[in-house]
Amino acid sequence: MKTTSILIIEDDSWLAEQFVRVLSKFGYKTVVTSSAATAINAVDDNHIDVIILDILLKGSTAFSLLHELQSYEDTGVIPVVLCTNLVQELTIENLRPYGVKQILDKSKMVPDDLATAVQDVLP
Amino acid sequence: MDGPLTDGLPSIIIAANELKSPLTLIRQLSLTLEGVDSLVDDQKRMLHQISLTSERALRLASDLTRSVRLTDALFTLEPINPQQLCEDIVQELTPLFTAHGRGFRLMPRKHSLLLVANRDLLRRIIMNFSDNALNYVDRDTAVEIQIKAINAGKTIRLGVRDFGPVLSCGVFENIQNNLPKATTTVHDRPQSSGLGIYIASQFADAMNGRIGVTRHRDGSTFYVDLQASQQLTLI
């Protein structure tokens, strides 16, 4: 059985490491990248099942990546979990058309919430 | 944080959002370590304190961004049952109070009241008052949230009552005079900048309410007055 692969796009390397720690505990394979620009390559090079995405990244924001993901048939179906401190500014209704299935509030979530979110959004 | 989202934002919002990132990391790491079985009790206690402290700091950072955006924010005023809202706050903050050796409770009411407010802003006001009380209240005593109707039922007052050292007249006057407009040290407490109270006053203003403080012989009550909802009278 194929191991579920999670792409973590997070520019805080220690927080990304923490996410890897949590997801590995639940048996998920993880790939980490720190920018939207490198994320597309990471999606192409790995068979990604779920994307964990921070909003404020170095360079272009998560929104440009979401647009790009939606522009291809194969990447547009990958479920995205936004993991951000900007929850106040976002609504899931506005982001659903961009493949966003869940929004996690970084400032309130407990570590295992990440794994629960992945489990919830998997097809 | 170099993305276009920061363009044109007040520097305090950028600073507050920047502050959230390291606090988030600290909280996530300490929460993870709290779950390690091999830790001794004192280590677990310290980690729990780190988690709770980072949560308090995150709340303050979040309030800062909210307060700056009050002028352009689209927030709605709606009828709210303050009892339910305060029950949720008590549930959320009880671990923090317990860790500090303090109690936290909502005084029961026989009859429901409805007020007109923005749920998020009102919640933040009560959280700020509670945080303030936590710093001030004597150990092994409790902080109480009280809800009552005043002004012939036209106004609902939500108060956070602490039981601590008596406010001196000078300090009380200073707080009374400065509550709505300035950040002043509250209660002569070095650990309080009054920032939380200042933010609370801004939130209250935005809902056409006001905050105030009542001095007791054994502590004080910080309160917010808001317009009562007419919905109940229409039923």
Side-chain angles (χ1 to χ4, degrees):
Chain A
M1 197 174 119
K2 176 186 174 290
T3 309
T4 304
S5 289
I6 318 290
L7 174 62
I8 299 166
I9 308 166
E10 168 61 62
D11 61 356
D12 183 329
S13 61
W14 286 0
L15 191 58
E17 189 182 320
Q18 164 67 6
F19 289 168
V20 169
R21 195 177 286 129
V22 171
L23 293 171
S24 301
K25 190 177 79 177
F26 286 84
Y28 295 119
K29 182 187 162 198
T30 53
V31 179
V32 176
T33 184
S34 62
S35 70
T38 52
I40 284 291
N41 288 338
V43 171
D44 286 342
D45 295 345
N46 303 274
H47 295 285
I48 298 299
D49 298 295
V50 178
I51 295 173
I52 308 276
L53 178 60
D54 186 18
I55 294 277
L56 294 171
L57 299 162
K58 292 186 179 73
S60 54
T61 69
F63 299 111
S64 58
L65 175 64
L66 288 171
H67 274 292
E68 189 160 357
L69 287 169
Q70 285 303 308
S71 62
Y72 303 104
E73 201 175 336
D74 54 343
T75 58
V77 295
I78 302 173
V80 176
V81 175
L82 281 187
C83 191
T84 176
N85 274 320
L86 295 176
V87 168
Q88 285 170 242
E89 324 293 331
L90 307 167
T91 60
I92 188 73
E93 288 75 23
N94 292 339
L95 291 165
R96 275 207 187 96
Y98 298 95
V100 176
K101 304 289 185 195
Q102 270 201 38
I103 303 174
L104 286 177
D105 185 346
K106 272 185 187 174
S107 65
K108 289 186 178 166
M109 61 187 259
V110 297
D112 288 356
D113 284 350
L114 200 63
T116 306
V118 167
Q119 208 168 7
D120 288 348
V121 303
L122 276 171
Chain B
M1 194 167 62
D2 301 323
L5 274 184
T6 62
D7 292 348
L9 289 181
S11 56
I12 193 160
I13 291 190
I14 298 168
N17 276 324
E18 290 277 6
L19 193 58
K20 281 184 188 175
S21 295
L23 289 169
T24 297
L25 177 62
I26 291 168
R27 180 172 171 272
Q28 290 295 314
L29 294 176
S30 62
L31 284 174
T32 301
L33 281 174
E34 275 186 59
V36 174
D37 290 334
S38 57
L39 296 175
V40 297
D41 285 348
D42 198 39
Q43 289 169 324
K44 279 190 179 172
R45 184 176 143 76
M46 284 191 285
L47 285 165
H48 192 47
Q49 288 171 349
I50 292 170
S51 302
L52 292 169
T53 304
S54 58
E55 280 169 13
R56 287 180 73 189
L58 277 164
R59 277 200 297 275
L60 201 54
S62 175
D63 284 352
L64 270 174
T65 59
R66 196 77 164 96
S67 68
V68 172
R69 288 192 152 172
L70 278 177
T71 50
D72 59 14
L74 292 171
F75 60 86
T76 52
L77 299 180
E78 57 181 333
I80 288 173
N81 177 351
Q83 182 83 16
Q84 183 61 54
L85 183 129
C86 292
E87 280 172 10
D88 292 345
I89 292 172
V90 168
Q91 192 174 9
E92 185 172 341
L93 289 187
T94 292
L96 177 65
F97 277 74
T98 305
H100 282 267
R102 273 80 167 164
F104 189 40
R105 61 177 173 245
L106 172 63
M107 299 310 285
R109 274 194 61 83
K110 271 187 183 173
H111 305 291
S112 292
L113 296 171
L114 274 186
L115 52 78
V116 179
N118 175 269
R119 185 176 297 277
D120 180 44
L121 296 187
L122 179 57
R123 186 176 163 279
R124 287 167 191 265
I125 290 173
I126 302 301
M127 296 281 261
N128 269 310
F129 285 167
S130 306
D131 252 356
N132 177 55
L134 176 63
N135 285 325
Y136 183 56
V137 72
D138 288 337
R139 198 173 173 82
D140 297 325
T141 60
V143 169
E144 293 174 352
I145 301 182
Q146 303 165 342
I147 305 168
K148 58 184 172 188
I150 58 169
N151 191 21
K154 291 178 184 165
T155 304
I156 307 296
R157 173 167 291 181
L158 271 66
V160 177
R161 167 82 155 98
D162 61 46
F163 296 86
V166 184
L167 286 175
S168 69
C169 288
V171 171
F172 178 69
E173 270 178 32
N174 188 32
I175 294 170
Q176 284 282 32
N177 294 336
N178 290 305
L179 261 181
K181 56 190 179 210
T183 55
T184 52
T185 302
V186 178
H187 290 150
D188 281 342
R189 282 176 292 135
Q191 69 267 40
S192 169
S193 66
L195 180 62
I197 301 296
Y198 171 67
I199 289 172
S201 76
Q202 287 195 310
F203 290 166
D205 279 351
M207 298 186 289
N208 303 314
R210 70 177 194 98
I211 68 167
V213 60
T214 306
R215 179 178 173 236
H216 309 288
R217 279 191 295 180
D218 57 352
S220 56
T221 300
F222 281 81
Y223 62 82
V224 57
D225 288 344
L226 291 159
Q227 186 193 336
S229 168
Q230 299 304 307
Q231 273 200 1
L232 277 186
T233 59
L234 295 175
I235 296 172

